[in-house]
Amino acid sequence: MKRTIVIVTSLAVFVLILFFFYFKSLKNEKKITQAEENLEENTSASNIIENVEYSSKDAKGNEYIIRAKTGEIDISENNVIFLKNVNAVVNLVNSKKVLIFADYGKYNINNYNTIFSKNVIIEYLGKKINSEYLDFSIERKSMIISKNVIYKDLINTMKADVIELDLETKDIKIYMYDKNNKVLIKKN
């Protein structure tokens, strides 16, 4: 009888120990799973880059440098980076620097094309252009400035819908979307 009590007690203790370790391993497994999930969340959030800078030069020696406070790589298109607090310098051969500032940018690291948006400012040869949108394309060799365009120099202020600038020929087209509206020019 004593022997049976010892066996039953030993068996009960063994079962309790088994349950204890089983539930403890479940807790650890849950902690590991949560840690992996947190790591995945942090990894997907880690596509944000601080103090971004890219530079490129074309075959003719024109240089393009773009900087931003932060950049976020587009997960669906990893050659595209969304930028915040952007500034760019375009050093054209046989010309002066073009400075560009904007709240936001969308930069393609394959072809260097950049879309600047919100509070866009372009400075060149003492002239200043403000707008809400700038499509800068090295492939097209052009800048298309649109949305609330205001051009200022020492003599004139001009309001238009679009200014197109050919970076090679330096030709400029200034126009309104609606042909019935006219570009407004006034002396300062």
Side-chain angles (χ1 to χ4, degrees):
M1 177 109 163
K2 276 186 177 183
R3 193 174 168 170
T4 310
I5 293 175
V6 171
I7 292 174
V8 171
T9 306
S10 296
L11 195 57
V13 169
F14 179 73
V15 169
L16 285 173
I17 291 172
L18 259 174
F19 276 114
F20 174 75
F21 283 112
Y22 175 74
F23 285 113
K24 187 170 179 137
S25 71
L26 276 180
K27 275 186 178 178
N28 285 342
E29 210 171 287
K30 188 174 182 180
K31 285 180 185 176
I32 290 169
T33 304
Q34 284 176 336
E36 286 174 349
E37 286 173 2
N38 290 341
L39 180 62
E40 285 176 12
E41 286 175 15
N42 290 339
T43 302
S44 67
S46 71
N47 64 356
I48 295 176
I49 306 164
E50 300 278 329
N51 301 317
V52 179
E53 181 173 327
Y54 287 98
S55 65
S56 63
K57 244 182 193 177
D58 66 13
K60 294 183 180 183
N62 296 311
E63 185 180 30
Y64 177 54
I65 303 164
I66 186 166
R67 295 179 185 98
K69 189 91 170 162
T70 60
E72 183 175 356
I73 299 168
D74 186 345
I75 293 171
S76 63
E77 244 184 299
N78 62 4
N79 62 321
V80 172
I81 299 177
F82 295 103
L83 305 168
K84 288 184 182 176
N85 299 324
V86 187
N87 68 70
V89 178
V90 183
N91 291 313
L92 301 172
V93 174
N94 300 324
S95 191
K96 297 285 183 180
K97 288 181 183 179
V98 178
L99 303 175
I100 304 168
F101 306 92
D103 290 350
Y104 302 100
K106 179 181 175 185
Y107 179 72
N108 185 313
I109 61 175
N110 291 341
N111 59 21
Y112 316 116
N113 292 343
T114 308
I115 296 190
F116 298 89
S117 61
K118 298 288 183 210
N119 300 312
V120 178
I121 300 169
I122 303 154
E123 295 176 354
Y124 176 67
L125 292 174
K127 297 160 180 63
K128 187 175 180 180
I129 302 172
N130 292 40
S131 76
E132 291 300 313
Y133 188 86
L134 165 60
D135 180 353
F136 178 82
S137 174
I138 291 181
E139 287 181 324
R140 280 192 328 262
K141 297 176 179 30
S142 73
M143 295 172 83
I144 301 172
I145 307 154
S146 60
K147 297 185 181 176
N148 301 319
V149 179
I150 300 172
Y151 167 93
K152 287 184 180 181
D153 64 19
L154 294 173
I155 302 167
N156 298 306
T157 298
M158 178 186 64
K159 291 183 180 182
D161 285 339
V162 180
I163 297 176
E164 290 184 19
L165 171 65
D166 185 309
L167 296 173
E168 262 186 1
T169 65
K170 312 291 187 283
D171 290 339
I172 297 175
K173 292 181 191 175
I174 303 168
Y175 59 90
M176 302 296 283
Y177 289 124
D178 184 348
K179 301 289 181 196
N180 295 325
N181 292 335
K182 298 188 183 226
V183 174
L184 299 172
I185 302 173
K186 70 177 188 177
K187 291 203 180 261
N188 293 336

